[in-house]
Amino acid sequence: MIPVQGLSGLRVAVLGLGRSGLAAARALRAGNAVPVCWDDNPPAREVAEAEGFECLDLARANAFDGIARLIVSPGIPHLYPAPNSVVVAALDAGVPVDNDIGLFFQSFATSEWDMFDVAPRVIAVTGSNGKSTTSALIHHILEHAGRNSQLAGNIGRGVLDIEPASNGGVVVLELSSYQTDLARSLTPDVAVFTNLSPDHLDRHAGMGGYFAAKRRLFAEGGPDRAVIGVDEQEGAFLAGQLSEGAVDDRVIRVSVDRKLGGPGWNVFARKGFLSEYRNGKQAASIDLRGVAGLPGAHNHQNACSAYAACRALAIAPRVIEAAFHSFAGLPHRSQTIGEKDGVRFVNDSKATNVDSAAKALTAFGSIRWICGGLEKEGGLEGLSGAVDTVRKAYVIGREAAGFAMQLKVEAEVCGTMAVAVARAIAEAEAGDVVLLAPAAASFDQYDSFEKRGDDFVALVRAHLG
């Protein structure tokens, strides 16, 4: 646990008592603050009370009298589309609003660091797609290299649940836009921006607000090194804002669209090969085509981002390459479940938006595509250039008929996962890939993308026998 510093003896309100909220309350108490907790869900309050936390309705009159700060869980809106009433009350009372990420960066460094031979480091990863895989891959490379590493944030453990810093240790954080948008302190040593595509637009009032939330990771604290995917205009703009000039190697530019030139520090992938260039000269090259855990161009982008972040910590290219080959990938992200009669089954339930689904589609040939769910803003037009290898779509979700009508491929309305998997199996031929890449959120039928992926996996494994 990371005890919270700077709030000793003060009453701190915690809104939302899920994983991050409870962890924040525990860390506040460990730092001698006095947590005052609330969740609209009675069972969540019962769990907190069982741990000895005081629960008081933060929506009541004068609730913020004597409160030093409000800590908000990431699922609770603080600005758009409309702020939670408790957040409004805190702001009206002049109480600062923060989250567990802000508390982490406020509290991670301690006086004990003076005794370390090698200072601990924090690598923070954000972006629209590939955050989880990039974060997990960085963590895997560090462990392969013999570095003490912890994985936390939006993946792994809660940021305040991890162990205190160790000599030379590295913390790898995956941070969503919800987390970066509100944190009052953001000071990673290495910050990674994978890419940007439309997502969570209602929460950020459009693309400008969404990009601004991601940009805070780089603007608030000024990382020592910034790894920036420059294939979208927002990434190119961000890299330009952070750089002092063409030779400024504090910015490492990443691309899977083109070869990057110039005298700076560049990492890019073309035709399955990762290349690192510094000062206009090639420093390393890795053949990614045989890396089973990183299939497709979107995973090559993840590989480039992870490679650059680890090179920023002076890990040798050949050590990184060896770690690539032992990386198994993450569940629900281009996860191969198995093969039968020449048909391969791949679970990419994490492809919850159009851009991530398009990248999954371009990673494979001859696809039987299971898609659909709760459609996000922006429609499905972004899929039109990625469906050339799709033989047929099998559409799930409560609005499956409307979803299917927007697709530029032959589509069958299936409704449920069971029907979609059965129909895809019945029609698949040797050489086909049955791919779950929904291009939609799961919440019309499932509690999470993980539950959706688990359903697909269970059905496929029953078929594999």
Side-chain angles (χ1 to χ4, degrees), residues 177-455:
S177 58
Y178 293 5
Q179 293 168 311
T180 58
D181 197 21
L182 187 58
R184 293 173 62 87
S185 178
L186 287 165
T187 54
D189 299 282
V190 179
V192 179
F193 178 89
T194 59
N195 51 57
L196 196 77
S197 62
D199 207 358
H200 309 304
L201 300 188
D202 58 337
R203 179 66 179 262
H204 299 293
M207 279 295 287
Y210 180 47
F211 175 53
K214 301 287 189 184
R215 182 182 176 277
R216 290 191 77 248
L217 180 62
F218 303 84
E220 294 300 311
D224 295 336
R225 282 256 160 66
V227 176
I228 309 292
V230 296
D231 288 339
E232 294 85 31
Q233 61 183 3
E234 291 89 354
F237 177 78
L238 179 59
Q241 281 199 313
L242 296 172
S243 176
E244 293 294 332
V247 298
D248 187 354
D249 68 359
R250 293 174 302 170
V251 177
I252 308 175
R253 290 172 172 83
V254 167
S255 176
V256 290
D257 282 353
R258 63 194 187 278
K259 177 180 179 179
L260 298 175
W265 195 347
N266 301 313
V267 178
F268 57 88
R270 295 181 72 222
K271 299 180 179 179
F273 285 85
L274 179 154
S275 296
E276 176 189 2
Y277 274 71
R278 299 187 71 172
N279 302 316
K281 298 179 180 180
Q282 187 171 23
S285 177
I286 296 175
D287 185 352
L288 298 174
R289 294 172 299 175
V291 180
L294 297 167
H298 61 303
N299 273 311
H300 292 177
Q301 183 180 59
N302 300 333
C304 287
S305 296
Y307 176 94
C310 291
R311 290 291 290 134
L313 297 187
I315 296 177
R318 293 305 164 217
V319 173
I320 298 174
E321 180 177 15
F324 281 172
H325 283 279
S326 61
F327 181 65
L330 291 178
H332 313 297
R333 298 159 177 88
S334 295
Q335 176 193 15
T336 295
I337 306 305
E339 187 173 322
K340 184 175 183 179
D341 300 327
V343 178
R344 182 180 177 187
F345 296 86
V346 177
N347 168 27
D348 204 332
S349 184
K350 185 62 170 64
T352 58
N353 59 41
V354 165
D355 186 66
S356 56
K359 289 176 177 177
L361 290 170
T362 58
F364 305 100
S366 191
I367 295 171
R368 301 282 177 177
W369 177 29
I370 299 175
C371 59
L374 188 61
E375 187 178 335
K376 295 188 175 181
E377 288 187 26
L380 305 179
E381 187 61 33
L383 291 168
S384 59
V387 295
D388 292 345
T389 58
V390 174
R391 297 192 64 184
K392 185 176 177 180
Y394 306 82
V395 187
I396 65 173
R398 294 179 185 172
E399 304 297 330
F403 197 99
M405 289 178 64
Q406 299 180 64
L407 300 177
K408 302 284 198 283
V409 296
E410 180 186 354
E412 179 178 338
V413 175
C414 297
T416 67
M417 185 70 75
V419 173
V421 171
R423 293 294 299 141
I425 289 172
E427 297 185 347
E429 300 172 347
D432 285 352
V433 174
V434 175
L435 171 67
L436 171 64
S442 61
F443 303 120
D444 60 334
Q445 292 182 311
Y446 300 94
D447 292 338
S448 65
F449 73 83
E450 292 96 340
K451 294 291 186 183
R452 177 173 59 191
D454 290 343
D455 192 12

Side-chain angles (χ1 to χ4, degrees), residues 1-5 30 104 107-113 116 120-122 148-150 157-171:
M1 181 185 296
I2 307 295
V4 172
Q5 299 185 58
F104 168 81
S107 307
F108 187 54
T110 68
S111 58
E112 294 179 1
W113 287 28
F116 294 155
R121 293 287 184 266
V122 176
N148 181 18
S149 176
Q150 299 185 77
R157 302 165 68 182
V159 291
L160 295 170
D161 266 340
I162 66 173
E163 299 302 316
S166 61
N167 183 34
V170 183
V171 174

